[in-house]
Amino acid sequence: MAKVVVLGAGVSGHTCASFLKKKLGKKHEVVVVTPNSYYQWIPSNIWVGVGQMSIDEVRFQLKKVYDRWGIVYKQAKALEIHPEGDAGTERGYVTIEYTDEEHAGTRENVEYDYLVNATGPKLNFEATEGLGPDKNSYSVCTYSHAAHAWEHLQENIKKMQAGEKQRFLIGTGHAMATCQGAAFEYILNIAHEISKRGLSKMAQITWISNEYEVGDFGMGGAFIKRGGYITPTKVFTESILAEYGINWIRRAGIYKVEEGKAYYETLDGEEHVQEFDFAMLIPSFSGVGMTAFDREGNDITGVLFAPNKFMKVDADYAQKPFEEWSADDWPSTYQNPTYDNIYAVGIAFAPPHPISKPMTSPNGRQIFPTPPRTGMPSGVMGKITALNIAERIHGATEHRHRASMSRMGAACIVSGGFGSFDGLGASMTVFPVVPDWDKYPEWGRDMKYSVGEAGLAGHWLKVLLHYLFFHKAKGYPFWWLIPE
């Protein structure tokens, strides 16, 4: 019997575990280790943050699903990886610490034959002074953060209704943060909710981002086909912001947040202060901070992990100029190069380099987005890793399934406001996620599959996908037929 341990139960980890169990059946053991008791559909946190969905509409308890599937569930956080075992065992193992009420603080060594790191990111609020829901800004990165943001957003709405103008600041809270898409959705939904209440004249809404141009979204921007014409995402995004009456600040690296004030530096080296009454600012991401040890107990964290604490995989990590970066640098199997029974998927893997061009201010501050690895690409990575591991257990010697972000497309539907008849969704696909200028020298991507449209139909599609992906995540009939 083989034993596969999956660390994390987000989109990537949950997808990986479900396909592993489907392919391996009862003959082999699948274990999921996660500090959380709930699965959450993160894209819908945006709607929790404006009061259109409750917390329980975007989450469900993991134990019930895993018990039904026959997956061993351990509510715990992973602390250490021992890929060579130790004096007492030759099998690799993970040291975990339980987080549930009954066993909180108890540690256990969980042996494995294969290990999948799908922990997702650490929300690195402390990288920006004063940032975060416990300090001077709000977040929508988790359902509890989003509910907290909505609780306080209602206070700002009441003030506007009482005739007091309010300033809203939404965007990236660190000079190298990613996940611009989530912040962009949130600012559009806030603007929509304010407009529905007839309060637009009472609100000053500002988008602030480390993007060189708005619409970069951490992937160097893109060109999309819209209405028969090739349009840069810069124009697509600016037009939507302008339609909603939203101002924007770009090329900005926030380095400190005080109550009602965000301090930032721009790429030209100027320092500014933006005042606000309500701010939702996305933090930077880092790996969760696991350590690793060899058989003798020597620290080998630097062998398994990059300095940003994300795990190394089959990517080309050679340092080279931006002009020499290649689509081939990106990983395709997510297998660790040192230990071939360890994989990392989703945000847990270390990208070889940014997708957007690195930019530095005259003062030495790097101001540009790091690569996004959420949503559809994360799910695909989880699935192909599960298939490859299952086939290795069944005797395969090579990986048949690959999913490089430079060979993979992604579809995204950006919510522009929740409403059955007045909602908006901007649908966009790009292929591939990482541009390949050698293969597509004119646009960097295949324009047959890089398209975008906005309208009410997009909103209904996003709502439909919310329920479809919950159906899939809960393992209801024919769940495997729903694409990632």
Side-chain angles (χ1 to χ4, degrees), residues 52 192 196 416-425 455-460 463:
Q52 291 294 345
H192 181 77
K196 280 200 309 186
F418 192 103
S420 299
F421 302 104
D422 62 350
L424 178 74
L456 177 60
H459 167 71
W460 276 108
V463 172

Side-chain angles (χ1 to χ4, degrees), residues 159-443:
K159 288 180 180 179
M160 289 189 291
Q161 290 171 333
E164 184 179 345
K165 289 190 176 182
Q166 295 289 287
R167 298 158 299 183
F168 300 88
L169 183 66
I170 314 294
T172 54
H174 187 271
M176 295 182 69
T178 188
C179 235
Q180 286 77 9
F184 185 66
E185 283 190 282
Y186 194 55
I187 198 170
L188 298 185
N189 273 268
I190 282 182
H192 181 77
E193 294 299 321
I194 288 172
S195 177
K196 280 200 309 186
R197 291 167 171 79
L199 298 170
S200 295
K201 292 183 179 180
M202 302 301 297
Q204 174 190 301
I205 308 175
T206 303
W207 169 254
I208 187 165
S209 175
N210 54 9
E211 301 163 294
Y212 189 79
E213 300 287 1
V214 295
D216 179 289
F217 295 128
M219 56 182 186
F223 295 93
I224 55 175
K225 188 174 288 185
R226 185 186 185 196
Y229 297 94
I230 305 296
T231 305
T233 49
K234 172 183 180 293
V235 174
F236 185 68
T237 307
E238 284 183 352
S239 64
I240 293 175
L241 290 174
E243 185 178 340
Y244 279 73
I246 297 169
N247 307 309
W248 58 86
I249 300 169
R250 56 187 180 159
R251 307 171 193 176
I254 291 179
Y255 59 87
K256 182 170 70 171
V257 183
E258 294 179 348
E259 185 177 355
K261 293 181 179 179
Y263 296 80
Y264 67 94
E265 180 185 352
T266 57
L267 265 177
D268 58 15
E270 294 184 1
E271 295 195 353
H272 302 271
V273 179
Q274 182 70 24
E275 296 185 346
F276 62 82
D277 298 293
F278 178 97
M280 195 295 292
L281 301 168
I282 300 290
S284 66
F285 294 167
S286 71
V288 297
M290 286 184 286
T291 52
F293 300 91
D294 66 13
R295 187 172 180 79
E296 285 72 41
N298 300 307
D299 192 315
I300 56 168
T301 303
V303 175
L304 252 68
F305 296 93
N308 57 13
K309 302 178 183 178
F310 293 121
M311 184 173 276
K312 296 176 185 177
V313 291
D314 60 312
D316 183 353
Y317 294 108
Q319 297 296 307
K320 47 192 172 183
F322 171 76
E323 292 74 22
E324 296 179 16
W325 290 352
S326 165
D328 293 332
D329 296 341
W330 286 78
S332 60
T333 65
Y334 305 94
Q335 183 181 39
N336 181 263
T338 307
Y339 299 98
D340 70 357
N341 62 340
I342 297 179
Y343 298 76
V345 293
I347 298 180
F349 86 85
H353 49 66
I355 305 173
S356 303
K357 185 177 182 179
M359 300 281 185
T360 305
S361 77
N363 301 318
R365 189 185 304 278
Q366 292 184 302
I367 303 174
F368 62 91
T370 45
R373 287 157 283 156
T374 53
M376 184 177 176
S378 284
V380 173
M381 291 174 207
K383 179 179 179 178
I384 68 104
T385 299
L387 297 178
N388 283 330
I389 291 174
E391 289 179 5
R392 285 186 68 185
I393 290 171
H394 288 141
T397 56
E398 294 183 357
H399 292 113
R400 289 197 310 117
H401 308 277
R402 296 177 179 271
S404 170
M405 288 177 61
S406 63
R407 303 285 182 265
M408 180 199 322
C412 179
I413 302 175
V414 176
S415 172
F418 192 103
S420 299
F421 302 104
D422 62 350
L424 178 74
S427 307
M428 185 171 72
T429 63
V430 293
F431 182 87
V433 179
V434 177
D436 187 341
W437 294 100
D438 292 329
K439 190 172 183 180
Y440 308 105
E442 187 173 6
W443 308 107

Side-chain angles (χ1 to χ4, degrees), residues 11 39-45 58-59 375 462 465-466 469-470:
V11 171
Y39 174 90
Q40 61 171 321
W41 180 240
I42 293 174
S44 296
N45 286 346
V58 301
R59 70 178 188 178
K462 190 170 181 73
L465 289 176
H466 168 89
F469 283 121
F470 258 80

